[in-house]
């Protein structure tokens, strides 16, 4: 049994490192269907359930301290990558598709909350899931922390995220050969040549990790200090919103040009996932099925609205599919889908997915508070 708080943190960092290396340095196909974060969470949860981590005050204290400081730092670094200038050059079809994807997902969550009669914890968990499906796992953690989602409910939401995401990616890839048929149905303009000229929001040069860590920690401390004097809903929500704002402001400065922010933010994300998993102990998995069915129901509503919207606004399948996956899948999968249409369009998938870092937190918080309001 691990009783030392430092060994506890080291163990979680080692766990995250192992699965990151397996994901990036091996050719194991399992990581194409199940993201590394799911394995990190699952094994961290398994070790907690087996009693590997002691439940003493010192470990509880370092858990809270690490999570409180890493969360705003991660959000700040994630949002440094947002590129508004390039995003608004995407064109009418892609911008309409993106807005339609966000709104249809939000509507789907609200409708499913009524049908499945969520309790307050489930409502908060699906609010966190909304953060993920409008942004990514980082947004899921931010929204879940702000809404006070229990570790068990967060685990269920992570399972739903993984299962539904995998099937959704497979479906959208399956539909690629049918693009011409879909475009005839919607009477869309298929000319996307200009999109290949849109740049990627990528930084060049040698990575400067320590400088980025310094700025991230300063942003984290600043967020917490400001949150002590200004509170929106609750302290964690305030910290999340302030850190997000600082990240967006930083994206307009030369901080954006420093290479390595994605890698540092991903490292922080993996450690946060391991931390949350280390506090999750499941008695049973009887509610997982309901969560998964509810997740599928949200995607069905989302798909129906996207098809109707495509018909009304004459949108092509590329725009609709990439907009959908940039929300539900994020940076890991949207560029891959874009490349199946045309390799020159990879940067389009990257740009749309990166915008989710901003939309996911605010959208998830909005949807989460609506869901909690419904159950009350």
């Amino acid at each position: 049994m691990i009783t030392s708080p430092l060994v506890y943190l080291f163990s979680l960092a080692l766990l995250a490192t192992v699965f990151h290396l397996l994901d990036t340095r091996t050719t194991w196909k399992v990581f194409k269907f199940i993201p590394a974060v799911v394995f990190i969470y699952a094994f961290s949860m398994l070790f907690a359930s087996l009693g590997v981590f002691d439940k003493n005050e010192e470990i509880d204290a370092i858990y809270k301290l690490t999570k409180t400081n890493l969360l705003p730092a991660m959000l700040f670094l994630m949002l440094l990558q947002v590129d508004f200038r390039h995003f608004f050059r995407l064109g009418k079809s892609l911008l309409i598709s993106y807005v339609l994807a966000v709104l249809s997902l939000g509507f789907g969550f609200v409708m499913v909350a009524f049908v499945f009669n969520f309790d307050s914890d489930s409502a908060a968990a699906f609010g966190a899931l909304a953060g993920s499906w409008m942004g990514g796992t980082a947004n899921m953690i931010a929204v879940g922390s702000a809404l006070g989602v229990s570790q068990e409910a967060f685990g269920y939401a992570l399972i739903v995220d993984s299962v539904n995401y995998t099937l959704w990616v497979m479906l959208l890839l399956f539909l690629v050969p049918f693009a011409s048929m879909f475009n005839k149905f919607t009477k869309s303009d298929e000319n996307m040549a200009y999109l290949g000229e849109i740049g990627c929001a990528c930084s060049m040069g040698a990575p400067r990790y320590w400088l980025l860590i310094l700025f991230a920690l300063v942003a984290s401390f600043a967020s917490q200090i400001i949150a002590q004097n200004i509170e929106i809903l609750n302290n964690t929500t305030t910290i999340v919103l302030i850190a997000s704002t600082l990240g967006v402001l930083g994206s307009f400065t030369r901080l954006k040009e420093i290479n390595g922010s994605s890698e540092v933010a991903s490292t922080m994300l993996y450690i946060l996932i391991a931390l949350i998993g280390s506090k999750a102990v499941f008695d049973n998995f009887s509610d997982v099925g309901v969560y998964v069915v509810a997740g599928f129901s949200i995607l069905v509503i989302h798909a129906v609205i996207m098809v109707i919207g495509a018909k009304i606004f004459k949108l092509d399948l590329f725009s609709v599919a990439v907009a959908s996956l940039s929300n539900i899948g994020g940076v890991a999968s949207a560029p891959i889908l874009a490349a199946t249409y045309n390799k020159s369009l990879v940067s389009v998938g990257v740009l749309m997915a990166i915008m989710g870092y901003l939309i996911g937190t605010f959208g998830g918080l909005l949807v989460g508070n609506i869901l909690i309001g419904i159950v009350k």
Side-chain angles (χ1 to χ4, degrees), residues 121-190:
D121 202 27
S122 297
F126 271 83
L129 183 61
S132 178
W133 283 3
M134 292 179 181
T137 308
N139 305 94
M140 187 179 190
I141 294 175
V143 176
S145 299
L147 297 178
V149 179
S150 69
Q151 281 81 10
E152 291 79 8
F154 184 87
Y156 289 146
L158 193 62
I159 293 171
V160 174
D161 188 21
S162 178
V163 172
N164 287 273
Y165 154 75
T166 300
L167 294 175
W168 195 244
V169 171
M170 292 170 64
L171 174 63
L172 293 181
L173 288 172
F174 171 78
L175 292 175
V176 172
F178 302 98
S180 297
M181 294 174 59
F182 183 90
N183 296 341
K184 287 180 182 178
F185 166 70
T186 60
K187 299 179 181 178
S188 67
D189 178 10
E190 299 182 59

Side-chain angles (χ1 to χ4, degrees), residues 6-313:
L6 291 179
V7 176
Y8 163 73
L9 272 185
F10 176 79
S11 301
L12 295 179
L14 180 61
L15 176 67
T17 302
V18 168
F19 280 104
H20 171 69
L21 291 175
L22 290 175
D23 183 15
T24 57
R25 302 294 177 87
T26 69
T27 57
W28 292 4
K29 293 184 179 180
V30 65
F31 290 106
K32 293 183 179 180
F33 302 101
I34 305 176
V37 291
V38 176
F39 284 104
I40 293 170
Y41 183 90
F43 274 83
S44 180
M45 179 194 69
L46 176 63
F47 292 151
S49 300
L50 294 175
V52 174
F53 306 125
D54 190 18
K55 297 180 180 179
N56 60 45
E57 292 182 2
E58 291 180 331
I59 286 182
D60 288 342
I62 202 167
Y63 165 85
K64 183 177 180 181
L65 182 65
T66 305
K67 185 180 176 184
T68 300
N69 287 294
L70 274 187
L71 179 58
M74 177 194 66
L75 288 173
F76 172 77
L77 291 177
M78 286 283 191
L79 289 168
L80 283 183
Q81 304 166 61
V82 172
D83 195 320
F84 289 96
R85 182 187 59 184
H86 286 155
F87 179 76
F88 287 111
R89 288 179 58 197
L90 289 174
K92 184 178 70 173
S93 293
L94 279 166
L95 291 176
I96 291 175
S97 298
Y98 186 82
V99 173
L100 193 62
V102 172
L103 294 179
S104 61
L105 284 168
F107 180 76
F109 276 95
V110 173
M111 290 298 98
V112 166
F114 280 109
V115 174
F116 284 81
N117 194 25
F118 289 159
D119 57 25
S120 58
D121 202 27
S122 297
F126 271 83
L129 183 61
S132 178
W133 283 3
M134 292 179 181
T137 308
N139 305 94
M140 187 179 190
I141 294 175
V143 176
S145 299
L147 297 178
V149 179
S150 69
Q151 281 81 10
E152 291 79 8
F154 184 87
Y156 289 146
L158 193 62
I159 293 171
V160 174
D161 188 21
S162 178
V163 172
N164 287 273
Y165 154 75
T166 300
L167 294 175
W168 195 244
V169 171
M170 292 170 64
L171 174 63
L172 293 181
L173 288 172
F174 171 78
L175 292 175
V176 172
F178 302 98
S180 297
M181 294 174 59
F182 183 90
N183 296 341
K184 287 180 182 178
F185 166 70
T186 60
K187 299 179 181 178
S188 67
D189 178 10
E190 299 182 59
N191 181 22
M192 299 177 291
Y194 75 97
L195 292 175
E197 302 173 1
I198 295 177
C200 166
C202 304
S203 302
M204 303 299 289
R208 304 175 70 181
Y209 298 130
W210 289 109
L211 183 61
L212 288 166
I213 291 171
L214 174 62
F215 280 118
L217 291 178
V218 169
S220 176
F221 295 150
S223 301
Q224 294 175 63
I225 292 171
I226 296 171
Q228 291 177 356
N229 302 301
I230 303 173
E231 188 167 299
I232 305 171
L233 297 179
N234 58 58
N235 184 259
T236 305
T237 301
T238 308
I239 292 172
V240 165
L241 293 177
I242 293 171
S244 299
T245 303
L246 291 176
V248 172
L249 293 176
S251 72
F252 289 98
T253 70
R254 294 187 64 182
L255 289 176
K256 178 194 190 77
E257 300 171 7
I258 303 176
N259 192 16
S261 59
S262 178
E263 293 92 331
V264 178
S266 296
T267 301
M268 293 178 176
L269 170 62
Y270 287 162
I271 294 174
L272 282 167
I273 285 289
L275 277 169
I276 295 172
S278 71
K279 292 294 181 180
V281 178
F282 289 95
D283 295 326
N284 60 75
F285 289 86
S286 59
D287 293 331
V288 171
V290 176
Y291 271 71
V292 171
V293 172
F296 277 124
S297 301
I298 293 168
L299 291 182
V300 169
I301 294 171
H302 164 65
V304 170
I305 294 176
M306 291 298 284
V307 171
I308 294 173
K311 180 65 176 177
I312 294 172
F313 296 105

